[in-house]
């Protein structure tokens, strides 16, 4: 009888979200607004007045970058988000029909979230 003693638990590929080591990528728990849908890692989040977060869109104020995918289709969800770090601007995600502006990047820089373009192989 052969028994497989090694099982893969999870597999991740390189997503090029993290660009550099400084400033350090630090995380914090955030609440994702109910009905925000399925959000992928790297989604730029803005905070609403009630303290919940949603994908960055026009009129929002960027605050975090989502560290792991989360599903908030039905009810409010708790997720890990980066509160600082150096990220690849080509790998972050924003709301449909929106693009990060220079003002958004300046706002994020106040929180130690900076962007560095990466060369991809």
């Amino acid at each position: 009888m052969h028994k497989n003693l090694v099982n893969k638990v999870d597999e991740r590929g390189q997503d090029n979200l993290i660009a550099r080591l400084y400033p350090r990528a630090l995380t914090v728990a955030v609440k994702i607004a109910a009905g925000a849908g399925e959000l992928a890692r790297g989604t730029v989040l803005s905070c609403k007045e009630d303290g919940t977060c949603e994908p960055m869109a026009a009129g929002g104020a960027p605050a975090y970058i989502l560290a792991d995918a989360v599903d908030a289709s039905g009810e409010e969800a708790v997720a890990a988000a980066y509160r600082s770090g150096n990220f690849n601007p080509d790998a972050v995600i924003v709301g449909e029909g929106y693009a990060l502006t220079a003002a958004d990047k300046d706002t994020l820089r106040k929180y130690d979230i900076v962007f560095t373009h990466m060369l991809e192989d």
Side-chain angles (χ1 to χ4, degrees):
M1 169 166 146
H2 294 291
K3 199 171 200 179
N4 185 3
L5 298 178
V6 179
N7 293 324
K8 274 190 181 175
V9 175
D10 190 19
E11 187 173 309
R12 288 199 186 221
Q14 178 68 19
D15 62 5
N16 291 328
L17 179 62
I18 305 289
R20 302 279 187 269
L21 297 177
Y22 183 80
R24 293 185 333 175
L26 300 175
T27 59
V28 64
V30 296
K31 289 183 183 178
I32 307 297
E38 293 183 22
L39 305 179
R41 169 180 158 82
T43 300
V44 179
L45 301 173
S46 64
C47 287
K48 299 177 3 178
E49 289 182 15
D50 65 0
T52 60
C53 296
E54 62 187 1
M56 181 64 194
Y64 304 104
I65 295 179
L66 195 59
D68 292 311
V70 65
D71 186 2
S73 298
E75 56 188 41
E76 195 174 89
V78 176
Y82 294 108
R83 66 175 179 91
S84 66
N86 192 327
F87 302 93
N88 178 3
D90 299 324
V92 296
I93 302 163
V94 292
E96 191 171 328
Y98 188 77
L100 280 180
T101 65
D104 293 334
K105 292 177 182 178
D106 283 342
T107 299
L108 288 168
R109 190 176 296 119
K110 294 175 189 174
Y111 301 117
D112 265 349
I113 293 176
V114 297
F115 295 96
T116 303
H117 282 279
M118 295 177 58
L119 298 175
E120 295 190 27
D121 297 336

